[in-house]
Amino acid sequence: MKIVQLTTDNRNQNKQYDLTTPYFGTAPAGLIDGFSLIEGVEVHVVSCTSKRMHVPEKLASNVYFHQPYVPKIGWGRSLFLGCAWATRRLLQEIKPDIVHGQGTERDCSMEAVLSGYPNVLTIHGNMRVHAARPEQKGSSYYKMAAALETFCLKRTGGVVAISGYTQALVKNLTRRTWLLPNAVDRRFFDVVPVDSSVPRILFVGSLGERKNPLGLLKACEEFLKRGECTLAMAGQSDADCEYGRKVNELAARLPGVELLGFMDREALATEFSRSTLLVLPTFEDNCPMVILEAMAAGLPVAASRVGGVPDLVQEEVTGLMFDPASIDAIRDAIARLLGDPKLRATFGTAGRRHALENYHPAVIARRHVEIYREILTS
């Protein structure tokens, strides 16, 4: 089977044009890694660029890489039609069996539905939900992204929904859906957590209002002041906005709080090895990779009962869940895990086993091949 994966080369998005190796979002990278582990598939990764860069021929023995150059006028200003036409021309040379567009945030979904080949989409961030948030009022980017998402959902062969939350949001707009989570980077399965005399809580995510880091700081305040734990927060903070300033100010006042900033996956795996538990008090999320990664690393999880999170955390089996709007509920879940090392170990063991069976790259890649076959034979 010849498969095309349409995804973003983050060298282009982050203007790191001097790098010689392309790199992708965590979820697409995990799936591509999974395809490299199975026989009988030939994978072509296609990432459009607005500036010419080094293009390696292969990413793995069965994974090829292509990078069509598209002038800036062919991107958002033209609703990504320039990217779609450049990709379509390339695909006429590759002649794939199936085309898979990763994400509706940028160009990939338009390239997939206009490719002229059988295609599916994966939604990583629900753009219609993002566009409806009060903080995005007046944002032309989110309005355009939401409109293009709707356009593509009606024209694709189906949607790979990484959570039941997304599946419910798209089922009335697309032909069919499959529920399948993201693949986890293999390095997280190799993490060995190190016991610490003082438990270390890890938070990973943007230090913005949606992820609720301020709520977490308030919930941990009494534990930190008593020296019962430390708190490490990995993520970028917008210190220029009022919410970001509040996060930074409270973090500076509390003992035992580390603001780690943005971390790549390798550095994050190291942080997992140093941590005791993961807490994610998000107000809205589709399929947060950090929860899957924590389970793969054998960490117990405490997370919000919102969006796609309940699909990932087996309550009282791999972790605990809470209402993110309640500081008391967040505090109670943390207190329970801090005070019961045996429960933490039980959750961690169950989480790692569940991740191996359900989120390993080879498992997720094989399931995608089954989906592609279903599309091609229907």
Side-chain angles (χ1 to χ4, degrees), residues 15-30:
K15 297 180 171 57
Q16 296 172 306
Y17 305 119
D18 57 328
L19 297 182
T20 58
T21 303
Y23 69 102
F24 316 105
T26 308

Side-chain angles (χ1 to χ4, degrees), residues 336-376:
R336 188 174 167 198
L337 288 172
L338 289 179
D340 194 338
K342 185 177 179 180
L343 183 66
R344 295 199 303 264
T346 299
F347 286 171
T349 300
R352 190 188 287 268
R353 182 172 58 249
H354 181 75
L356 275 168
E357 294 172 353
N358 295 278
Y359 309 137
H360 191 278
V363 172
I364 298 300
R366 290 191 186 99
R367 180 68 183 101
H368 273 85
V369 171
E370 293 173 3
I371 290 171
Y372 301 156
R373 288 189 178 127
E374 184 179 335
I375 283 279
L376 294 174

